Amino acid sequence: MAGWPRSVRKFRPCSRNELPQKQMTSASSSSEAKARPGTVARVLTAAILIPAVVALAWWGSTALVATAGGIVALLALVEFFSLGSALNLHAYRVWTGICTLGIFVQQWMASAAQTYEVGRNVRLTDSSGIPEVPLELVLFVFLLGCAAIIFVSRRALAEALGDAGISAAGLLFIALPLSSVVRIHGVKSIGPKLLLFTLALVWAGDTLGYFVGRSLGRIPMAPQLSPKKTWEGAAANLLGSAIVGVAFYRWLNIDAFSAVLMACLANAAGQAGDLLESAYKRGAGVKDSGTLLPGHGGVLDRIDALILAAPVVWYYFHFLLDSHF
């Protein structure tokens, strides 16, 4: 026994920090593996949607843009009202949807019947045979319809007011501002270019902000609304839109300062819209507004920045630049 050779395995003492470090490395690689499919799905979805939207904006008529915009608004409203249902707020979905389409039709009519200043106190209206319906009329009809639904349903006033409130919120927070894309596209001579500019500044800002925020983001921007949003990502988001302004100003035939300022103002509004939608989701206790778009969540998740960016571009151009065209 004593002469038999023994195989002795030597064990190296393990420091306290090694095992946790290995566990942390394993957890980190696991989270990276989970993040990769989401990033791939996000890129693939964008690769399909972006060419389709660009083709619509460039080659489509304003009527077609209004139709597509109305459909997108309806899909976003469905998700918005689902968030409201989690808070026991039940919107008048059908009536709000009808009035949403009415808003997009009205914006198409308004873009087809544009007024031009040709002299002091002299204006010409290009109606193209299409009557212009005031937007206030559509909103007033919506209000009358909500009142009629309340009276007919005979529900308790406390419940009815909440339901009418979220119906109006969907119309005012989503449908009305998003319909600005129709007015942008309807601008004579540069409408399609201006709409592509609007889409590009949102996409570029969102993309740059997303990747910079994920890789370099350290300072939380609004942790009570969206824990993952950082000031570094917001700065990159703004920079992305400013770059679009520099890239597009010659194509739009406007000065560089106006293009960059318009892009930056639209970006700031878009980021506010993103945070506003995050507040909706946090109130409802959900991560995404829907699952229709792989890697992006729902339709409302995808257009939240565009909803408030588009009106900024439209009003900036309408009040400050339109007279030069």
Side-chain angles (χ1 to χ4, degrees), residues 21-41:
Q21 187 175 359
K22 290 180 181 178
Q23 291 176 347
M24 288 173 60
T25 304
S26 175
S28 174
S29 58
S30 174
S31 64
E32 286 178 5
K34 290 179 181 178
R36 255 186 236 113
T39 302
V40 172

Side-chain angles (χ1 to χ4, degrees), residues 8-249:
V8 179
R9 179 178 294 177
K10 294 184 179 180
F11 294 92
R12 182 176 60 84
C14 180
S15 66
R16 260 182 211 178
N17 295 328
E18 283 184 10
L19 185 57
Q21 187 175 359
K22 290 180 181 178
Q23 291 176 347
M24 288 173 60
T25 304
S26 175
S28 174
S29 58
S30 174
S31 64
E32 286 178 5
K34 290 179 181 178
R36 255 186 236 113
T39 302
V40 172
R42 185 182 182 93
V43 172
L44 288 177
T45 302
I48 295 172
L49 287 180
I50 288 178
V53 174
V54 168
L56 173 66
W58 186 248
W59 286 294
S61 64
T62 303
L64 187 58
V65 170
T67 302
I71 293 172
V72 171
L74 290 178
L75 293 173
L77 282 176
V78 169
E79 296 175 354
F80 179 73
F81 292 151
S82 295
L83 298 179
S85 296
L87 303 174
N88 200 30
L89 296 171
H90 305 288
Y92 308 140
R93 297 186 178 219
V94 175
W95 178 240
T96 309
I98 291 172
C99 292
T100 292
L101 295 178
I103 287 177
F104 278 84
V105 170
Q106 185 278 332
Q107 295 286 52
W108 168 67
M109 290 179 173
S111 66
Q114 298 189 52
T115 301
Y116 304 91
E117 295 276 355
V118 295
R120 187 175 181 181
N121 299 324
V122 178
R123 296 183 179 182
L124 292 178
T125 300
D126 179 15
S127 63
S128 303
I130 300 174
E132 184 177 358
V133 177
L135 181 60
E136 296 85 352
L137 179 60
V138 179
L139 298 178
F140 181 63
V141 169
F142 168 77
L143 179 61
L144 290 178
C146 287
I149 293 172
I150 292 174
F151 294 146
V152 172
S153 64
R154 298 182 180 179
R155 299 184 63 189
L157 185 60
E159 296 179 0
L161 288 178
D163 297 345
I166 193 169
S167 301
L171 201 72
L172 295 178
F173 292 168
I174 297 175
L176 184 58
L178 184 61
S179 67
S180 297
V181 299
V182 182
R183 300 304 303 272
I184 293 172
H185 190 272
V187 173
K188 301 298 182 184
S189 72
I190 67 162
K193 291 182 180 181
L194 194 60
L195 181 55
L196 288 177
F197 166 76
T198 306
L199 296 170
L201 73 88
V202 171
W203 291 339
D206 181 60
T207 302
L208 191 60
Y210 174 78
F211 287 106
V212 170
R214 283 192 57 174
S215 58
L216 302 176
R218 297 292 182 271
I219 306 173
M221 184 179 184
Q224 72 279 10
L225 297 180
S226 182
K228 292 185 178 181
K229 286 184 173 55
T230 62
W231 281 109
E232 292 87 348
N237 198 322
L238 184 65
L239 177 61
S241 294
I243 292 173
V244 170
V246 174
F248 273 66
Y249 82 93

